[in-house]
Amino acid sequence: MSDQIKFIVDNLNKEPFRKNYNLITFDSLEPMQLLQVLNDVLAEIDPKQVVDIREEMPEQTAKRMLSLLGILKYKPPGNAADMSTFRQGLVIGSKPVIYPVLHWLLQRTSELKKRAYLARFLIKLEVPSEFLQDETVADTNKQYEDLMEAFKTLHKECEQLKTSGFSTAEIRRDISAMEEEKDQLIKRVERLKKRVEAVQNHQRMLKIARQLRVEKEREEFLAQQKQEQKNQLFHAVQRLQRIQNQLKSMRHAAADATPESLMKRLEEEIKFNSYMVTEKFPKELENKKKELHFLQKVVSEPAMGHSDLLELESKINEINTQINQLIEKKMMRNEPIEGKLSLYRQQASIISRKKEAKAEELQEAKEKLANLEREVSVKTSQTREFDGTEVLKGDEFKRYVSKLRSKSTVFKKKHQIIAEFKAEFGLLQRTEELLKQRHENIQHQLQTIEEKRGISGYSYTQEELERVSALKSEVDEMKGRTLDDMSEMVKKLNSLVSEKKSALAPIIKELRQLRQKCQELTQECDEKKSQYDSCAAGLESNRSKLEQEVRGLREECLQEESRYHYINCMIKNLEVQLRRATDEMKAYVSSDQQEKRKAIREQYTKNIAEQENLGKKLREKQKAVRESHGPNMKQAKMWHDFEQLMECKKQCFLKQQTQTSIGQVIQEGGEDRLIL
C-alpha cells in the first residue's frame, strides 16, 4: 500500500498536476479533497470532466465518474458483489477505493487519453427500433454509422502517418527548399526571357516551340490511346480464344456423345454440385460467418492494454483446464453404448473427411485445368504477338512458308542494297580521314620547311613586320646615326622581306590547290551523304507503308476468316434444323403408319396418352385401396388375433402332453377329472 501511495504522490507532483504533496499531506486529505484530486486526474484524461465537485451533487459526481471509468475499462478489485461497496466508497471518497483508481489511472495516462478521445466518437447511440421505422431517423442513423466508419479509417491513417517517421520540421525544411528552388527557377526563366528577347523573331520561335510541346503532348496521348487499343485488342483476342476453346470442347464432347454418356456425366455433375451446395459450401460459409462475427466483436471492442490481455489469457487457461477435466471424466465413465456409437461416428467422420478431400481434389483439378487453359491462351497470344497470327497447320502453313520465301528474297535484295550503301559510306569516311591526315601532314611539312629556311612562315609574316617596324622605330630614336646608315638598313630590311615572300610564294600556291581539292572532296562527300540519307528515308517510308498494308490485310483476313467460320456454323445449325423439320413433315404427312409413328409429334402424343392411362389406372388403384383399407385392416387384426389364439392352444396342448405322465384327465358330464 505504501508503494502505491508513493507512486501516486510522485506522479501528482510532476507535470501537469504540480500538487506538491508528500506522503503525510496526501494521506491526511479529506474525502472531498481526495475526490477533487481524482476528478483532476480524470479531467486531464478527458477535458469534459473539469468540474468543481463542491458545486455538484454527490450522486451526479459518482455517476459521471463511474460512466467515465466504465468507458476506460476500469475493473474494480473483487467480484461483482463488491460493486455496491465500490460505488458507495466512490460517493463518500473512501481511501481504499480511491487509491487503486488513482494508481491505475496514473500508470497509463497517455493510453487512457487516447481511449477517452476515441470514446467520444465511437460509442454508438442506441436508437429504439420503433424510432427507426421513420425514414428520416433511419437515414440519419445510417449517415451517423457511415461517419463513424469514416472516422475509424481516418484515425487509422493518422496513426500510420504519425508512426511513419515524418515530422513537421522535415516538412518545413522541404517546403523552404522547394520555395528556394522556385525562386531560382523564376530567376532562370527571367534570364532566359531576356536572352530570348535579344534574338530576332523570338515570338515566332516561341510559337513554334509551343506548337512543338503541344504536338509532343498529343503524341503522348496518341501513344497512350494506341496502348489502350492494343490492350483492348489483346483482351478481345483472349476472349475470342476462350470462346473458340469452349466451342472446341463442346464439339469434342458432342462428337462422342451418346444419351447414356451425357446423362451419366450430367448426373455426376449434379451429384458433385449438390454436395458442394448442400454440404461443403454451407460449412465453409458458417465458418466464415463465425470468423467474421469474432473479428467484428474484436474490432468493436476498444483497445486493450497489457493487463487486459493477461487477464484474457488467464481466463482462456482456466477454460482449457475445465475442458480437459470434463474430457477425463467422460473417458473415466467409458459407457459401452457410447463406445459402440463412437466406432460408427469415427467411420462416418472418416468417410466425410474422405468425401471432402475428394471434393477438394476435384475442385483443385478443375482450377488446375482452368489455369492450364489460361496458360495455353497466354502462350497462343504471345505467339500471335510475335508473328501477328495464330499457329498455322497444313496447307495454311505451306502457303505461309511460300509467302515467307518470297518476302525473304525481297529482304535479301534490300539488305544487299543497304550493305552496298554502308560500304560506300565507309569508303567516304575513310577518304575524309585520309584527306584530313594529309592536310595535317602538309601543314607540318610547311612549318618544317619554313623553319629550315630561317623564316617563321607566311602566317608569321605580320609579326616579323611588326618587329621590323619596332626595330625601325628604335633606329629612328637612336642618336648619332646618319641618314645613309638608315637608308642602308631599310634596303636590307626590304630585301630580306622580299626574299622571304619569294620563298613562300610556291608553298602558298601549293596550299591553295590543296585547299581547293579538299573543298571539292568535302562537297562530294556531302552530296553522297545526302543521297544516302534520302535513299534510306525512302526505303524506310516504303517499309513502314508495306508493314501497315500487311497489318491491315492480316486484320482484314482474320475478320473475314472469323466471319466465314461463324457463317458456316450458322449454316450448319440451320441445315440441321431444316433437316429435322423436313423429316418431321415427311413423317407427319406420310400415309405409311410406320413412318408416321416415327414422327416426334406422334411419339409425344403416344407418351402423353400412355402417361394419362397410367395416371388413370393409378388413381383407380388408389381409390380401391382407400375403400378397402378399413376392412383389410380389420381382417388383418382378426388374423393376428387368430394367430395368437392358435399359439395359445398350442401351448395348452403341449402343457397337457406333459401332464399325462402324472395323471389322466377324463371329461364326464362337462367336467374334467384327474385320475392319479
Side-chain angles (χ1 to χ4, degrees), residues 245-257:
N245 292 329
Q246 289 178 2
L247 182 61
K248 287 180 182 177
S249 62
M250 290 174 70
R251 285 177 178 174
H252 181 70
D256 55 348

Side-chain angles (χ1 to χ4, degrees), residues 69-123:
L69 290 174
I71 291 169
L72 299 178
K73 300 292 182 182
Y74 175 72
K75 295 181 179 179
N79 52 15
D82 298 333
M83 284 300 295
S84 60
T85 58
F86 175 75
R87 292 193 188 94
Q88 188 177 0
L90 190 64
V91 170
I92 64 175
S94 177
K95 293 180 181 179
V97 174
I98 302 295
Y99 285 170
V101 177
L102 286 172
H103 184 265
W104 185 79
L105 292 173
L106 294 171
Q107 272 184 336
R108 46 181 70 82
T109 307
S110 59
E111 180 185 349
L112 295 176
K113 280 183 181 179
K114 183 178 178 182
R115 187 176 292 178
Y117 169 73
L118 294 174
R120 290 164 54 192
F121 304 102
L122 297 181
I123 293 178

Side-chain angles (χ1 to χ4, degrees), residues 512-560:
R512 285 175 181 172
Q513 292 176 0
L514 291 173
R515 282 180 178 173
Q516 187 176 3
K517 191 175 181 180
C518 181
Q519 288 178 359
E520 291 175 357
L521 290 173
T522 52
Q523 187 176 2
E524 187 178 357
C525 179
D526 292 335
E527 290 177 357
K528 296 290 185 183
K529 188 176 181 181
S530 63
Q531 289 177 4
Y532 169 74
D533 292 336
S534 63
C535 184
L539 292 173
E540 185 68 23
S541 63
N542 290 330
R543 186 176 67 82
S544 62
K545 287 179 182 177
L546 290 172
E547 285 180 353
Q548 289 178 358
E549 289 178 0
V550 169
R551 196 179 296 111
L553 290 172
R554 281 178 179 170
E555 291 177 357
E556 187 177 356
C557 180
L558 289 173
Q559 290 176 0
E560 294 296 331

Side-chain angles (χ1 to χ4, degrees), residues 555-572:
E555 291 177 357
E556 187 177 356
C557 180
L558 289 173
Q559 290 176 0
E560 294 296 331
E561 187 177 356
S562 62
R563 188 180 174 189
Y564 169 73
H565 289 305
Y566 175 74
I567 290 169
N568 280 337
C569 292
M570 293 297 293
I571 288 169
K572 288 181 181 178

